[in-house]
Amino acid sequence: MKEHMTIISNRQIAKGIYELTLASSLVQRMHTPGQFVHVKVATFAPLLRRPLSLCDINHEAGECTIVYRAEGTGTTLLSQKQPGETLDVLGPLGNGFPLSALSSGQRALLVGGGIGVPPLYELAKQLVKNGVCVTIVLGFQTKDVVFYEERFASFGKTYVATADGSYGMKGFVTDVIEHHALSFDVLYACGPKPMLKALQQQFPHKELYLSLEERMGCGVGACFACVCRVPHSETAYKKVCSDGPVFRAGEVVL
Amino acid sequence: MNRLAVELPGLSLKNPIMPASGCFGFGREYAKFYDLSVLGAIMIKATTLEARFGNPTPRVAETPSGMLNAIGLQNPGIDKVLAEELPWLAQYDVPIIANIAGSTVEEYVEVAKRISKAPNVHALELNISCPNVKKGGIAFGTVPEVAAELTRAVKEVSAVPVYVKLSPNVTNIVAMAKAIEQAGADGLTMINTLLGMRIDVKTAKPILANVTGGLSGPAIKPIALRMIYEVSQAVSLPIIGMGGIQSAEDVIEFFYAGASAVAIGTAHFIDPYVCPNVIRDLPPLLDELGIQHISECTGRSWNNGQTVYCGA
């Protein structure tokens, strides 16, 4: 579950957004969209690994792709890595999006916000392969950080919104869904917590699967850093890393 | 001869390497990576009388060569630990050291009395050094008389030897160790985390929801070594050393400082295989250093290191 993966490419695809392609036999263990890998980028600073979700899994090529935002020390260091270098990768970890929630001919709505967009790519790919009709809504802060619109468009109708209106519709993903009256059997989402909360409120009686983000320590469930509460209990909890990161709406307190 | 076997009060260890409390849960997560029977012992997550949720998130923040945590002793409570976690761990050939915590002396005593009777619990680790809870924890670990009183009370009811986990957040750790020795402790474990904090540059707010947290990892290794060096020469209790250990070389350094066994904590989050790797790396390192048995390393640095060097 831990290997040194070779960097095939590591390139900027939007402002501060990088696409990293890695190769090793570890890829053959990667199957479920929404799972993540825990990546070591430096020996001592930062000390801990970086949890990064899988964006694309390509078993034939033996490669996987991760899309990340160079923001803090770790991801900035990662953005400087060159093809040919290796990365210490642990994974795949966590429980991804349940594909079995839908059968052929049913409709999925995929909603991504910012750097929460990447795991929806592999999800869209696998849903379409299963014959599911996919509609995609992507929300970004501004035009400069929009990515993967065309790639998603190959799987289904794709809408883009920006918070400042510089690209696509002005507003949030929830505005797009309302404006176009988008309907679905199952909704899958990944993005900032306010977005997930808004979706949960917008569709209180529908089947929603939400991918959460939290600061992690171990990534395997041992350190209790990334817990979240379970409704109606003082002591019950779920761990984002090992029980999630994908939860059914209502399963945990957002 | 097993060159790594170590005998400590209550503990016959096949090797002196064990996961530190709070960094290994109750073992289930790492059992997916390797057979836990390879470990010398396991220090399980702190157990309290009632289940605890712990602190709000974020619970971790990073620092150069280290990390801050403020978990807040989240655990399922002693009933569940006795009914589910310890029986599950019994499938492995590994002694358990049960870390116990509480808000009052009575709570520590009750947990100690019950958990020390579990068949695979071979020793207790008295947690008087958790910096992340409002009541109990470190409150018992900063005044020697208070620590001594608690040690006595727990010793009286425990069916197994009692090790006391020392906090580095004290002015005089030797005075603390001596008071605990006189109170009848069987051993010491040291060090727990150092109290620290980080602040977000953009928001000016503390990164940890708990504001402060415990610093661990390689950053604290020199402090742990210094404290073990001081305490081990002032008391006759065996010491299980911890604080930033990542490699077999680190283990030997802790033994030289005065430890008789060691625990590995934060390094698990970087490499789940750290314990088996260190156990594998120790015999060749002993060969390289010309040392027959690891126990010979304990305290080799004392007397300014004049008796230390015997390398090949």
Side-chain angles (χ1 to χ4, degrees), chain A residues 1-2 38 40 42-50 71 73 88 90-91 93 193 214-230 233-239 242, chain B residues 22-26 29-30 32-33 45 51-55 57-67 71 74-76 200 202 207 216-218 246 266 268-273 277:
Chain A
M1 280 180 77
K2 189 169 96 66
H38 221 15
K40 184 90 178 110
T43 309
F44 290 117
L47 186 66
L48 298 176
R49 291 171 179 271
R50 290 291 172 277
E71 200 173 18
T73 318
D88 177 352
L90 178 69
L93 301 173
K193 211 173 258 181
E214 186 58 74
R215 277 172 185 267
M216 287 181 191
C218 65
V220 301
C223 77
F224 290 78
C226 64
V227 296
C228 50
R229 289 191 180 273
V230 169
S233 168
E234 280 302 304
T235 53
Y237 62 90
K238 298 268 181 185
K239 299 169 193 167
S242 57
Chain B
C23 300
F24 205 72
F26 294 92
E29 292 77 17
Y30 291 102
K32 292 173 190 155
F33 291 91
K45 191 156 171 55
R52 290 196 191 185
F53 181 80
N55 292 322
T57 56
R59 291 176 169 187
V60 290
E62 284 182 272
T63 71
S65 297
M67 67 175 282
I71 308 298
Q74 180 161 27
N75 79 94
D200 189 299
K202 284 180 190 149
I207 292 176
S216 64
Q246 287 190 308
T266 304
H268 283 98
F269 308 159
I270 299 146
D271 183 1
Y273 301 98
N277 287 350

Side-chain angles (χ1 to χ4, degrees), chain B residues 19 69 84 106 119-120 130 155 164 182-183 204 209 214 291 304:
Chain B
N69 87 80
E84 293 170 19
E106 292 71 30
N120 51 339
C130 176
K155 260 305 277 183
V164 179
Q182 278 165 16
I291 293 165
N304 292 323

